[in-house]
Amino acid sequence: MNSARFDYILHQVLIVPILAVLVGAAAVAWQIHHANRTVALIQASDASIAQTLIVERIVVDQETGLRGYQTTGDVRFLEPYRNAERQFDYALRILRNDVQADGVSPGEASTIDQFEAQHSAWEQGFAVPLIATIRAGGKTDDPELNLQGKVEMDAMRRSLVDLTRTTEAGRQANISRWHTQVQRMSIALILFAVLLGSVIGLYTRTLVRDLSEAFKRSSNILRIRAEEAFRSEQRLRTTLASIGDGVITCTPDGLIQTMNAVAEQLTGWLDTEARNQPLTAVFSIFDNKSREPLGDPVAQSKRLNHSVKLSHDAFLIRKDGSEIQIDDSLAPIRDKLSHIMGFILVFRDVTMARKSQQALLANEKLAVAGRLAATIAHEIHNPLDSISNLLFLMDGPSTPEESAHFLALAREETERVTQISRAMLSLYREARAPVAIDLKEMLESILLLMDRRFQALGVTVETHLPPDLIIHGFPAELRQVFSNLLANAAEAGGSGSVVTLSADFQPDHVAQGSQRREPGVLVSVADQGPGVPAEIQAKLFQPFFTTKGEQGTGLGLWVSRGIIIKHGGEIALASSCMPDHHGTVVSVFLANDPIINAGGD
């Protein structure tokens, strides 16, 4: 085969597939354009639904603030009402814009107009007069007046529900259209691929046969060796490229050889720039708390002669000076004789994961504080009423002996208010380092704060708390754990049930999964509820799993488990659903002198 014939075959093999692919690419681009337009409509529908929920939340805030002011007469309760009033017009304007972007229909526009009119009627016909009546000292317990407000508020909610349903129907129609477009595009691609493959295969078969026969015998051995080397290199490159984590390979001296695309993105260095650079120049890591450098992981691995996992709380300074939280490990690469040929470093960006976990922990702390707030308000309100009554009696015609008795009773009530306020102040006054904690004192303060809630639920609490149960840890976090466990037990048991809170010193506790024995305290919270089925028990400590429906966040037990693990302790649940013997027991072991795990769960 001469050179001209060889060049002709190569050109034909190259040009024909390129032309066919260009035609197919144009058809695919046209389909993608229409699919993107449909996706844009779906996104606009999502924005409309989300903004509807925001408007609904603003209306609920208005009603909540108004009802709080109506109930207490305290103008501070109007703050949510005023804030929502200021946000309403802007939120409604955004909703109109979102609905227009969604492809507005007369039904949606009229529903918004109807809702705006209903809100104006409720505000001018009920809310504003009600506020004026309260400020003038009038009575607001008229059933007809309150029923009017309820009817108007229900009408607004129905309008928002109708708007959401209409938008959702349009969204579903666009989704169906998008599915149809994708299905058609997939079928077209399959048919095009089959047709293209058949045409190209038949067309190039003869051409490639001549070329293959000409070089087959002379290049067979060379081809086999080249393919083997190519496959080996491609497997390595494909593996590195497909890994979702950053990967850096180094020489035995710690000089960078290769970086995958994820490592380039995380460090800010290109592979060509980082090659032959020391690892510490590209991978510069520091401790998040002390801000001190963590050193050379290659030197650490050489010294220990095995893989190393770096600090859990580490951050990487990228080439542009920005910082990201990372989790990483480094391992040596060995040959058949176990000699170190190099090192491989694998790391990932965990900045968002850590921020999300911190946000969830903070959210659960706020939830615990909110649940206790109502109870504390009632607990403080009752003794203050008693003090006011006693002062009134002392101001009247009473004997010196009666006045002294009234004064003693007032002091007792004042001490109770002080005790409650101190317990509340200590709920989230966190120590920076583990401190000695008297568990008996802590648990009794929690029971004091939750006493009103237990009374409202009709639950009796029995305690078995011996003195001198001393451990070390973070008081606020442990208060959060036991507040959550006691609240769960009371809600599970229901009216007329008994919650048993007990604690006992464990002089010789065996940790799970090890033979380590350590002294500590075992705290148990038992309820008389219906029990937890076995298939649910395995999910209770997972985030966002709840058996309380919309009333639960699904974070309480998960956060509690993380706090206990942080304290080097253990939490376990045992439950029975038998008709004659039902209930749940949650046991928490805390060591006297634990090794605090700063990373948590």
Side-chain angles (χ1 to χ4, degrees):
M1 179 181 294
N2 56 37
S3 177
R5 176 62 177 171
F6 178 76
D7 291 339
Y8 174 80
I9 293 175
L10 289 181
H11 281 90
Q12 293 298 316
V13 172
L14 179 63
I15 293 174
V16 172
I18 289 177
L19 292 176
V21 169
L22 289 177
V23 173
V28 171
W30 181 78
Q31 290 287 344
I32 291 176
H33 172 71
H34 285 276
N36 286 338
R37 293 178 58 187
T38 305
V39 170
L41 293 176
I42 296 173
Q43 292 173 340
S45 298
D46 291 338
S48 298
I49 295 173
Q51 189 62 27
T52 303
L53 295 177
I54 293 175
V55 172
E56 182 178 9
R57 176 183 60 76
I58 292 174
V59 173
V60 170
D61 288 346
Q62 281 189 295
E63 183 183 26
T64 302
L66 182 63
R67 292 302 184 186
Y69 180 57
Q70 181 184 8
T71 302
T72 63
D74 190 340
V75 73
R76 290 175 295 180
F77 280 87
L78 275 179
E79 187 64 25
Y81 176 87
R82 297 302 185 195
N83 292 337
E85 187 178 33
R86 289 190 290 267
Q87 299 172 5
F88 179 81
D89 291 338
Y90 177 76
L92 192 63
R93 185 167 64 254
I94 295 299
L95 177 59
R96 289 184 184 275
N97 294 337
D98 290 340
V99 170
Q100 290 176 355
D102 183 29
V104 63
S105 66
E108 290 176 308
S110 62
T111 301
I112 295 178
D113 294 337
Q114 178 182 353
F115 167 75
E116 184 176 14
Q118 291 169 342
H119 180 269
S120 178
W122 174 82
E123 189 175 47
Q124 300 300 324
F126 176 73
V128 173
L130 183 65
I131 294 173
T133 301
I134 296 173
R135 288 177 174 174
K139 295 184 178 181
T140 61
D141 55 355
D142 182 11
E144 294 183 359
L145 177 64
N146 288 279
L147 183 60
Q148 174 194 348
K150 179 181 182 303
V151 170
E152 292 175 347
M153 184 58 64
D154 290 343
M156 284 190 285
R157 289 194 175 98
R158 285 194 297 271
S159 296
L160 291 177
V161 170
D162 292 340
L163 179 61
T164 302
R165 288 176 178 172
T166 303
T167 307
E168 181 64 27
R171 179 179 181 275
Q172 292 299 325
N174 288 327
I175 290 176
S176 299
R177 186 192 311 166
W178 180 80
H179 285 161
T180 302
Q181 292 172 340
V182 171
Q183 185 178 12
R184 291 176 179 174
M185 185 167 56
S186 301
I187 295 174
L189 285 175
I190 293 173
L191 294 176
F192 177 78
V194 172
L195 179 61
L196 178 63
S198 301
V199 172
I200 292 177
L202 293 175
Y203 181 78
T204 60
R205 180 180 178 182
T206 303
L207 300 177
V208 174
R209 180 188 302 167
D210 295 339
L211 184 63
S212 176
E213 290 295 331
F215 290 96
K216 184 176 181 180
R217 288 185 298 271
S218 61
S219 63
N220 187 47
I221 296 176
L222 181 61
R223 179 181 57 81
I224 292 175
R225 292 179 178 177
E227 286 180 354
E228 289 178 350
F230 178 76
R231 290 193 188 99
S232 177
E233 182 180 359
Q234 285 298 106
R235 281 196 298 269
L236 176 59
R237 292 186 177 275
T238 302
T239 301
L240 292 177
S242 62
I243 292 177
D245 296 337
V247 179
I248 300 177
T249 60
C250 303
T251 66
D253 297 328
L255 300 179
I256 295 177
Q257 288 182 310
T258 61
M259 297 172 60
N260 67 350
V262 178
E264 290 180 336
Q265 178 184 0
L266 294 180
T267 62
W269 289 75
L270 296 177
D271 179 57
T272 54
E273 297 174 334
R275 194 167 298 166
N276 296 323
Q277 293 282 346
L279 179 62
T280 52
V282 176
F283 191 72
S284 182
I285 54 176
F286 294 80
D287 184 83
N288 198 36
K289 293 182 178 179
S290 64
R291 309 293 292 186
E292 295 292 332
L294 293 177
D296 185 0
V298 171
Q300 184 179 359
S301 179
K302 285 182 177 180
R303 184 175 65 255
L304 299 176
N305 198 30
H306 60 69
S307 303
V308 294
K309 183 172 179 60
L310 305 184
S311 172
H312 177 82
D313 200 16
F315 69 89
L316 169 68
I317 297 183
R318 305 174 72 242
K319 185 180 180 180
D320 60 4
S322 59
E323 300 176 1
I324 59 172
Q325 304 291 321
I326 61 168
D327 186 18
D328 52 7
S329 61
L330 180 136
I333 304 173
R334 302 180 185 274
D335 58 15
K336 295 180 179 179
L337 300 177
S338 296
H339 296 152
I340 294 180
M341 301 173 57
F343 294 90
I344 181 169
L345 174 69
V346 181
F347 61 103
R348 65 184 63 88
D349 184 0
V350 296
T351 304
M352 293 305 299
R354 291 181 182 172
K355 288 183 178 180
S356 299
Q357 186 176 27
Q358 292 172 359
L360 292 176
L361 292 173
N363 181 67
E364 180 60 15
K365 286 184 178 180
L366 292 176
V368 173
R371 289 194 293 267
L372 293 178
T375 300
I376 294 167
H378 286 290
E379 290 291 340
I380 293 179
H381 181 74
N382 291 337
L384 289 179
D385 279 346
S386 300
I387 294 172
S388 178
N389 294 332
L390 290 169
L391 292 175
F392 175 78
L393 294 174
M394 292 173 64
D395 190 45
S398 59
T399 65
E401 292 79 8
E402 290 175 337
S403 296
H405 179 64
F406 294 154
L407 182 59
L409 293 178
R411 286 174 177 170
E412 291 179 1
E413 296 297 330
T414 303
E415 290 176 358
R416 175 170 174 79
V417 172
T418 302
Q419 187 180 14
I420 292 173
S421 63
R422 286 176 179 171
M424 183 59 183
L425 286 174
S426 64
L427 182 62
Y428 287 111
R429 186 176 291 167
E430 185 59 276
R432 294 188 178 183
V435 297
I437 303 171
D438 187 335
L439 275 182
K440 175 180 172 63
E441 179 181 343
M442 173 189 289
L443 294 173
E444 287 178 345
S445 67
I446 294 173
L447 293 176
L448 172 66
L449 293 178
M450 301 183 68
D451 182 63
R452 176 66 59 178
R453 186 174 184 182
F454 292 145
Q455 293 181 16
L457 293 173
V459 173
T460 303
V461 180
E462 294 183 355
T463 60
H464 304 282
L465 304 174
D468 300 326
L469 297 177
I470 307 299
I471 63 166
H472 288 78
F474 296 96
E477 293 184 353
L478 294 179
R479 287 191 188 96
Q480 179 179 345
V481 171
F482 292 117
S483 296
N484 183 64
L485 296 182
L486 287 168
N488 288 347
E491 293 171 359
S495 179
S497 66
V498 177
V499 173
T500 303
L501 173 63
S502 60
D504 190 21
F505 181 67
Q506 299 284 309
D508 197 22
H509 181 78
V510 180
Q512 293 182 359
S514 70
Q515 298 299 320
R516 180 169 55 90
R517 297 176 179 269
E518 56 185 343
V521 177
L522 184 66
V523 182
S524 299
V525 180
D527 64 61
Q528 297 177 340
V532 182
E535 61 272 14
I536 295 180
Q537 292 184 32
K539 303 177 182 179
L540 284 179
F541 292 97
Q542 296 178 2
F544 304 111
F545 179 82
T546 178
T547 60
K548 301 179 182 179
E550 296 183 356
Q551 298 180 355
T553 63
L555 297 175
L557 288 177
W558 176 68
V559 171
S560 298
R561 176 177 175 270
I563 292 173
I564 296 303
I565 292 177
K566 173 181 176 180
H567 283 74
E570 300 168 4
I571 183 170
L573 181 143
S575 186
S576 173
C577 300
M578 298 176 63
D580 55 344
H581 180 68
H582 54 80
T584 302
V585 178
V586 180
S587 301
V588 175
F589 173 78
L590 296 168
N592 293 115
D593 294 301
I595 299 176
I596 300 296
N597 176 15
D601 188 7

